[in-house]
Amino acid sequence: MEDKDVTRVEKPKSAEELLKSKGVSSIEQKGQTKIQAFLGSSMAFVIVLEVMIIIFFGVLSKPGTFLTVTNFMNILLNSSQMVILAIGLTFVIASGHMDLSLGMNLILSSIIGSKVFKAVASTPELLSQGEYPRLGLGIVAGIAAAILCGMLCGGINAFTTSKLKLVPFIATLASMYIFQGAAMVICNGAQEKNLPRIFQTYFGHAKLFGVIPYQAILAIALGVIFALIMRYTRFGLYVRAIGSNRESARRAGIKVEMNCFKIYMLLGAMAGVAGCFDVARYSTTNPSGHISDGMMAIMAVVMGGTSMKGGIASVPGAMLAVLIPVTLQTGMVVLGMNSYFQLIVTGIFLIIAVYVDYVRNLKPKS
């Protein structure tokens, strides 16, 4: 009886099987208790590091300056915008992509939103007098314009990476300069003036029970929503599957390019929301600011447990890790340290974040 060569055609894996085969399933490894799994996680590392930073500055600072409820609420307020950016960036990095244009997207979105607000809410003559006859309509139009602008910028990044097949690092580096240039052309390098103080009074500086900033509450609420989306929805599953193995995800029936557009546009929408937060807090725009926001958000996302290789994501970890650079900056201000040291510390912690990701990827996956 002659032997027959039988060619076996491997059946494409589903998204769930793909994640499990790559060791990035959300199911705990066998043989570990939940406590053991947590202690070995990035979340535990972030919590311990944050506590150490708080103790460090608490010991060095004068009594009643750093270890106060007011200071911790200010840290939460300062973290709000970064939390919004980190939420969206978690989806992008988990899908195996990158976005260096995030800070410039925030600036452009805030400028567009401010200009639309002024055009809808008032007239040039009344603006100079601080009168806004269509205030409510202007606020809605401004927020919508900022978010749509952010989504458009995200769509541009998705097009260059998915359709033109450019490396995300190069594509988003180029768009960073494009967005920055567009923002400077539109505002002529100047801040947007004649914005009402009502933004600060009722949201930017407002606090629940006079203690917890509303911006922090909204940022946390968005984080909870998107953490659930990442963990329990098909979209979250597809994001991690694409980051785990793009080609295998395609064979599993996932529309990779369409989902990449969704992912980048989601991040763009988050940049628009963060831009609205910025305007609400300061009642103006900051065209020359937010240069380091993108890098700090990347640091927080990676340090919080999202792998730069894709496939592994942690929205709660990213949210907690945001507190690290913000607490460091606040502590250095309290100690009266030179503001330029903040850049050095940010760079050091970015190296730590990348190294933590490197060590995490060396661990054997079951």
mmCIF file of all heavy atoms in Angstrom, residues 231-262:
data_model
loop_
_atom_site.group_PDB
_atom_site.id
_atom_site.type_symbol
_atom_site.label_atom_id
_atom_site.label_comp_id
_atom_site.label_asym_id
_atom_site.label_seq_id
_atom_site.Cartn_x
_atom_site.Cartn_y
_atom_site.Cartn_z
ATOM 1 N N ARG A 231 -11.725 44.882 28.059
ATOM 2 C CA ARG A 231 -11.723 43.541 28.652
ATOM 3 C C ARG A 231 -12.876 42.654 28.174
ATOM 4 O O ARG A 231 -12.689 41.452 27.979
ATOM 5 C CB ARG A 231 -11.775 43.653 30.176
ATOM 6 C CG ARG A 231 -11.612 42.316 30.898
ATOM 7 C CD ARG A 231 -11.536 42.517 32.391
ATOM 8 N NE ARG A 231 -11.406 41.254 33.113
ATOM 9 C CZ ARG A 231 -10.259 40.622 33.336
ATOM 10 N NH1 ARG A 231 -9.134 41.145 32.885
ATOM 11 N NH2 ARG A 231 -10.232 39.484 34.004
ATOM 12 N N TYR A 232 -14.048 43.260 27.939
ATOM 13 C CA TYR A 232 -15.236 42.435 27.744
ATOM 14 C C TYR A 232 -15.908 42.556 26.373
ATOM 15 O O TYR A 232 -16.873 41.838 26.123
ATOM 16 C CB TYR A 232 -16.276 42.758 28.827
ATOM 17 C CG TYR A 232 -15.808 42.395 30.216
ATOM 18 C CD1 TYR A 232 -15.497 43.372 31.148
ATOM 19 C CD2 TYR A 232 -15.670 41.059 30.599
ATOM 20 C CE1 TYR A 232 -15.070 43.047 32.427
ATOM 21 C CE2 TYR A 232 -15.242 40.721 31.871
ATOM 22 C CZ TYR A 232 -14.946 41.719 32.789
ATOM 23 O OH TYR A 232 -14.513 41.383 34.047
ATOM 24 N N THR A 233 -15.454 43.452 25.507
ATOM 25 C CA THR A 233 -16.121 43.605 24.219
ATOM 26 C C THR A 233 -15.294 43.016 23.083
ATOM 27 O O THR A 233 -14.092 42.778 23.223
ATOM 28 C CB THR A 233 -16.391 45.087 23.909
ATOM 29 O OG1 THR A 233 -15.141 45.765 23.674
ATOM 30 C CG2 THR A 233 -17.122 45.761 25.063
ATOM 31 N N ARG A 234 -15.976 42.788 21.953
ATOM 32 C CA ARG A 234 -15.300 42.288 20.759
ATOM 33 C C ARG A 234 -14.231 43.266 20.286
ATOM 34 O O ARG A 234 -13.153 42.868 19.845
ATOM 35 C CB ARG A 234 -16.308 42.055 19.633
ATOM 36 C CG ARG A 234 -17.083 40.761 19.788
ATOM 37 C CD ARG A 234 -16.238 39.593 19.352
ATOM 38 N NE ARG A 234 -16.809 38.324 19.799
ATOM 39 C CZ ARG A 234 -16.223 37.157 19.636
ATOM 40 N NH1 ARG A 234 -15.030 37.096 19.080
ATOM 41 N NH2 ARG A 234 -16.784 36.056 20.065
ATOM 42 N N PHE A 235 -14.536 44.551 20.386
ATOM 43 C CA PHE A 235 -13.571 45.558 19.936
ATOM 44 C C PHE A 235 -12.280 45.458 20.734
ATOM 45 O O PHE A 235 -11.178 45.474 20.175
ATOM 46 C CB PHE A 235 -14.174 46.953 20.074
ATOM 47 C CG PHE A 235 -13.227 48.057 19.692
ATOM 48 C CD1 PHE A 235 -12.700 48.142 18.413
ATOM 49 C CD2 PHE A 235 -12.845 49.020 20.624
ATOM 50 C CE1 PHE A 235 -11.824 49.161 18.062
ATOM 51 C CE2 PHE A 235 -11.974 50.035 20.288
ATOM 52 C CZ PHE A 235 -11.464 50.104 18.994
ATOM 53 N N GLY A 236 -12.390 45.337 22.046
ATOM 54 C CA GLY A 236 -11.195 45.184 22.881
ATOM 55 C C GLY A 236 -10.435 43.914 22.544
ATOM 56 O O GLY A 236 -9.198 43.899 22.520
ATOM 57 N N LEU A 237 -11.171 42.848 22.280
ATOM 58 C CA LEU A 237 -10.537 41.587 21.889
ATOM 59 C C LEU A 237 -9.790 41.737 20.575
ATOM 60 O O LEU A 237 -8.654 41.267 20.422
ATOM 61 C CB LEU A 237 -11.601 40.493 21.771
ATOM 62 C CG LEU A 237 -11.125 39.105 21.341
ATOM 63 C CD1 LEU A 237 -10.215 38.493 22.405
ATOM 64 C CD2 LEU A 237 -12.323 38.187 21.070
ATOM 65 N N TYR A 238 -10.412 42.426 19.621
ATOM 66 C CA TYR A 238 -9.782 42.623 18.312
ATOM 67 C C TYR A 238 -8.523 43.490 18.427
ATOM 68 O O TYR A 238 -7.528 43.253 17.735
ATOM 69 C CB TYR A 238 -10.761 43.267 17.339
ATOM 70 C CG TYR A 238 -11.901 42.373 16.920
ATOM 71 C CD1 TYR A 238 -13.027 42.890 16.272
ATOM 72 C CD2 TYR A 238 -11.884 41.002 17.179
ATOM 73 C CE1 TYR A 238 -14.083 42.072 15.883
ATOM 74 C CE2 TYR A 238 -12.939 40.186 16.805
ATOM 75 C CZ TYR A 238 -14.032 40.721 16.155
ATOM 76 O OH TYR A 238 -15.061 39.912 15.772
ATOM 77 N N VAL A 239 -8.574 44.498 19.301
ATOM 78 C CA VAL A 239 -7.407 45.373 19.507
ATOM 79 C C VAL A 239 -6.207 44.541 19.953
ATOM 80 O O VAL A 239 -5.104 44.652 19.395
ATOM 81 C CB VAL A 239 -7.725 46.459 20.566
ATOM 82 C CG1 VAL A 239 -6.438 47.164 21.003
ATOM 83 C CG2 VAL A 239 -8.704 47.479 20.009
ATOM 84 N N ARG A 240 -6.416 43.668 20.943
ATOM 85 C CA ARG A 240 -5.324 42.851 21.463
ATOM 86 C C ARG A 240 -4.890 41.771 20.474
ATOM 87 O O ARG A 240 -3.711 41.434 20.377
ATOM 88 C CB ARG A 240 -5.744 42.232 22.803
ATOM 89 C CG ARG A 240 -5.804 43.266 23.929
ATOM 90 C CD ARG A 240 -6.338 42.669 25.220
ATOM 91 N NE ARG A 240 -7.782 42.494 25.171
ATOM 92 C CZ ARG A 240 -8.400 41.389 25.533
ATOM 93 N NH1 ARG A 240 -7.713 40.340 25.955
ATOM 94 N NH2 ARG A 240 -9.712 41.300 25.482
ATOM 95 N N ALA A 241 -5.853 41.252 19.724
ATOM 96 C CA ALA A 241 -5.519 40.232 18.727
ATOM 97 C C ALA A 241 -4.669 40.809 17.605
ATOM 98 O O ALA A 241 -3.701 40.189 17.155
ATOM 99 C CB ALA A 241 -6.802 39.625 18.160
ATOM 100 N N ILE A 242 -5.000 42.028 17.162
ATOM 101 C CA ILE A 242 -4.206 42.688 16.119
ATOM 102 C C ILE A 242 -2.791 42.946 16.612
ATOM 103 O O ILE A 242 -1.813 42.746 15.891
ATOM 104 C CB ILE A 242 -4.881 44.009 15.683
ATOM 105 C CG1 ILE A 242 -6.204 43.718 14.962
ATOM 106 C CG2 ILE A 242 -3.959 44.829 14.780
ATOM 107 C CD1 ILE A 242 -7.056 44.948 14.716
ATOM 108 N N GLY A 243 -2.669 43.384 17.857
ATOM 109 C CA GLY A 243 -1.345 43.627 18.424
ATOM 110 C C GLY A 243 -0.565 42.358 18.648
ATOM 111 O O GLY A 243 0.668 42.348 18.556
ATOM 112 N N SER A 244 -1.250 41.253 18.923
ATOM 113 C CA SER A 244 -0.577 39.981 19.148
ATOM 114 C C SER A 244 0.027 39.439 17.861
ATOM 115 O O SER A 244 1.189 39.042 17.827
ATOM 116 C CB SER A 244 -1.575 38.977 19.732
ATOM 117 O OG SER A 244 -0.961 37.725 19.906
ATOM 118 N N ASN A 245 -0.754 39.413 16.799
ATOM 119 C CA ASN A 245 -0.264 38.922 15.503
ATOM 120 C C ASN A 245 -1.196 39.453 14.426
ATOM 121 O O ASN A 245 -2.303 38.960 14.253
ATOM 122 C CB ASN A 245 -0.219 37.398 15.471
ATOM 123 C CG ASN A 245 0.530 36.864 14.260
ATOM 124 O OD1 ASN A 245 0.315 37.290 13.131
ATOM 125 N ND2 ASN A 245 1.422 35.918 14.499
ATOM 126 N N ARG A 246 -0.737 40.460 13.723
ATOM 127 C CA ARG A 246 -1.575 41.154 12.746
ATOM 128 C C ARG A 246 -2.080 40.212 11.657
ATOM 129 O O ARG A 246 -3.270 40.218 11.304
ATOM 130 C CB ARG A 246 -0.778 42.311 12.137
ATOM 131 C CG ARG A 246 -1.602 43.253 11.262
ATOM 132 C CD ARG A 246 -0.683 44.311 10.650
ATOM 133 N NE ARG A 246 -1.423 45.283 9.879
ATOM 134 C CZ ARG A 246 -1.841 46.449 10.341
ATOM 135 N NH1 ARG A 246 -1.606 46.772 11.597
ATOM 136 N NH2 ARG A 246 -2.507 47.281 9.578
ATOM 137 N N GLU A 247 -1.183 39.390 11.105
ATOM 138 C CA GLU A 247 -1.559 38.507 10.002
ATOM 139 C C GLU A 247 -2.510 37.414 10.483
ATOM 140 O O GLU A 247 -3.479 37.066 9.794
ATOM 141 C CB GLU A 247 -0.311 37.883 9.384
ATOM 142 C CG GLU A 247 -0.583 37.058 8.127
ATOM 143 C CD GLU A 247 -1.317 37.848 7.045
ATOM 144 O OE1 GLU A 247 -1.067 39.070 6.909
ATOM 145 O OE2 GLU A 247 -2.153 37.241 6.351
ATOM 146 N N SER A 248 -2.242 36.846 11.645
ATOM 147 C CA SER A 248 -3.138 35.833 12.189
ATOM 148 C C SER A 248 -4.513 36.423 12.497
ATOM 149 O O SER A 248 -5.533 35.752 12.320
ATOM 150 C CB SER A 248 -2.540 35.223 13.456
ATOM 151 O OG SER A 248 -1.345 34.525 13.171
ATOM 152 N N ALA A 249 -4.537 37.663 12.955
ATOM 153 C CA ALA A 249 -5.812 38.323 13.213
ATOM 154 C C ALA A 249 -6.602 38.483 11.917
ATOM 155 O O ALA A 249 -7.829 38.298 11.889
ATOM 156 C CB ALA A 249 -5.572 39.684 13.866
ATOM 157 N N ARG A 250 -5.897 38.822 10.851
ATOM 158 C CA ARG A 250 -6.556 38.952 9.545
ATOM 159 C C ARG A 250 -7.151 37.609 9.105
ATOM 160 O O ARG A 250 -8.270 37.534 8.594
ATOM 161 C CB ARG A 250 -5.551 39.469 8.508
ATOM 162 C CG ARG A 250 -6.195 39.951 7.208
ATOM 163 C CD ARG A 250 -5.114 40.249 6.169
ATOM 164 N NE ARG A 250 -4.100 41.163 6.687
ATOM 165 C CZ ARG A 250 -4.229 42.478 6.728
ATOM 166 N NH1 ARG A 250 -5.336 43.036 6.269
ATOM 167 N NH2 ARG A 250 -3.263 43.226 7.211
ATOM 168 N N ARG A 251 -6.374 36.540 9.294
ATOM 169 C CA ARG A 251 -6.856 35.208 8.910
ATOM 170 C C ARG A 251 -8.018 34.756 9.775
ATOM 171 O O ARG A 251 -8.835 33.937 9.345
ATOM 172 C CB ARG A 251 -5.706 34.200 9.021
ATOM 173 C CG ARG A 251 -4.608 34.410 7.997
ATOM 174 C CD ARG A 251 -3.495 33.392 8.185
ATOM 175 N NE ARG A 251 -2.419 33.602 7.231
ATOM 176 C CZ ARG A 251 -1.301 32.891 7.204
ATOM 177 N NH1 ARG A 251 -1.122 31.913 8.100
ATOM 178 N NH2 ARG A 251 -0.363 33.137 6.307
ATOM 179 N N ALA A 252 -8.091 35.280 11.000
ATOM 180 C CA ALA A 252 -9.186 34.929 11.898
ATOM 181 C C ALA A 252 -10.476 35.668 11.547
ATOM 182 O O ALA A 252 -11.502 35.474 12.205
ATOM 183 C CB ALA A 252 -8.797 35.232 13.338
ATOM 184 N N GLY A 253 -10.421 36.499 10.517
ATOM 185 C CA GLY A 253 -11.617 37.206 10.073
ATOM 186 C C GLY A 253 -11.764 38.609 10.607
ATOM 187 O O GLY A 253 -12.800 39.257 10.400
ATOM 188 N N ILE A 254 -10.735 39.118 11.318
ATOM 189 C CA ILE A 254 -10.785 40.483 11.848
ATOM 190 C C ILE A 254 -10.423 41.472 10.744
ATOM 191 O O ILE A 254 -9.422 41.302 10.047
ATOM 192 C CB ILE A 254 -9.822 40.632 13.036
ATOM 193 C CG1 ILE A 254 -10.217 39.688 14.168
ATOM 194 C CG2 ILE A 254 -9.805 42.072 13.541
ATOM 195 C CD1 ILE A 254 -9.232 39.666 15.320
ATOM 196 N N LYS A 255 -11.232 42.485 10.573
ATOM 197 C CA LYS A 255 -10.954 43.530 9.588
ATOM 198 C C LYS A 255 -9.915 44.480 10.182
ATOM 199 O O LYS A 255 -10.255 45.450 10.860
ATOM 200 C CB LYS A 255 -12.241 44.258 9.213
ATOM 201 C CG LYS A 255 -13.272 43.357 8.539
ATOM 202 C CD LYS A 255 -14.549 44.109 8.215
ATOM 203 C CE LYS A 255 -15.569 43.196 7.546
ATOM 204 N NZ LYS A 255 -16.840 43.911 7.248
ATOM 205 N N VAL A 256 -8.670 44.171 9.910
ATOM 206 C CA VAL A 256 -7.559 44.849 10.577
ATOM 207 C C VAL A 256 -7.535 46.343 10.256
ATOM 208 O O VAL A 256 -7.444 47.178 11.160
ATOM 209 C CB VAL A 256 -6.220 44.189 10.188
ATOM 210 C CG1 VAL A 256 -5.050 44.986 10.769
ATOM 211 C CG2 VAL A 256 -6.168 42.754 10.689
ATOM 212 N N GLU A 257 -7.613 46.704 8.987
ATOM 213 C CA GLU A 257 -7.503 48.109 8.615
ATOM 214 C C GLU A 257 -8.645 48.931 9.189
ATOM 215 O O GLU A 257 -8.444 50.040 9.697
ATOM 216 C CB GLU A 257 -7.462 48.246 7.093
ATOM 217 C CG GLU A 257 -6.166 47.736 6.468
ATOM 218 C CD GLU A 257 -6.106 47.993 4.980
ATOM 219 O OE1 GLU A 257 -7.092 48.523 4.421
ATOM 220 O OE2 GLU A 257 -5.072 47.659 4.371
ATOM 221 N N MET A 258 -9.863 48.404 9.114
ATOM 222 C CA MET A 258 -11.012 49.130 9.653
ATOM 223 C C MET A 258 -10.868 49.341 11.154
ATOM 224 O O MET A 258 -11.143 50.422 11.671
ATOM 225 C CB MET A 258 -12.299 48.376 9.354
ATOM 226 C CG MET A 258 -13.573 49.121 9.799
ATOM 227 S SD MET A 258 -15.074 48.169 9.561
ATOM 228 C CE MET A 258 -14.894 46.956 10.883
ATOM 229 N N ASN A 259 -10.403 48.313 11.857
ATOM 230 C CA ASN A 259 -10.221 48.443 13.301
ATOM 231 C C ASN A 259 -9.082 49.387 13.642
ATOM 232 O O ASN A 259 -9.129 50.067 14.671
ATOM 233 C CB ASN A 259 -9.978 47.066 13.924
ATOM 234 C CG ASN A 259 -11.262 46.287 14.141
ATOM 235 O OD1 ASN A 259 -12.022 46.558 15.062
ATOM 236 N ND2 ASN A 259 -11.531 45.330 13.273
ATOM 237 N N CYS A 260 -8.049 49.442 12.800
ATOM 238 C CA CYS A 260 -6.959 50.404 13.030
ATOM 239 C C CYS A 260 -7.474 51.837 12.925
ATOM 240 O O CYS A 260 -7.064 52.717 13.690
ATOM 241 C CB CYS A 260 -5.829 50.164 12.042
ATOM 242 S SG CYS A 260 -4.840 48.690 12.415
ATOM 243 N N PHE A 261 -8.386 52.081 11.973
ATOM 244 C CA PHE A 261 -8.996 53.402 11.874
ATOM 245 C C PHE A 261 -9.782 53.718 13.144
ATOM 246 O O PHE A 261 -9.712 54.835 13.674
ATOM 247 C CB PHE A 261 -9.909 53.476 10.640
ATOM 248 C CG PHE A 261 -9.217 53.972 9.408
ATOM 249 C CD1 PHE A 261 -8.564 53.087 8.567
ATOM 250 C CD2 PHE A 261 -9.207 55.323 9.082
ATOM 251 C CE1 PHE A 261 -7.916 53.539 7.420
ATOM 252 C CE2 PHE A 261 -8.568 55.783 7.942
ATOM 253 C CZ PHE A 261 -7.913 54.885 7.109
ATOM 254 N N LYS A 262 -10.540 52.748 13.634
ATOM 255 C CA LYS A 262 -11.312 52.952 14.865
ATOM 256 C C LYS A 262 -10.394 53.264 16.036
ATOM 257 O O LYS A 262 -10.684 54.149 16.855
ATOM 258 C CB LYS A 262 -12.135 51.706 15.180
ATOM 259 C CG LYS A 262 -13.289 51.440 14.224
ATOM 260 C CD LYS A 262 -14.031 50.180 14.643
ATOM 261 C CE LYS A 262 -15.183 49.861 13.706
ATOM 262 N NZ LYS A 262 -15.887 48.606 14.117
#
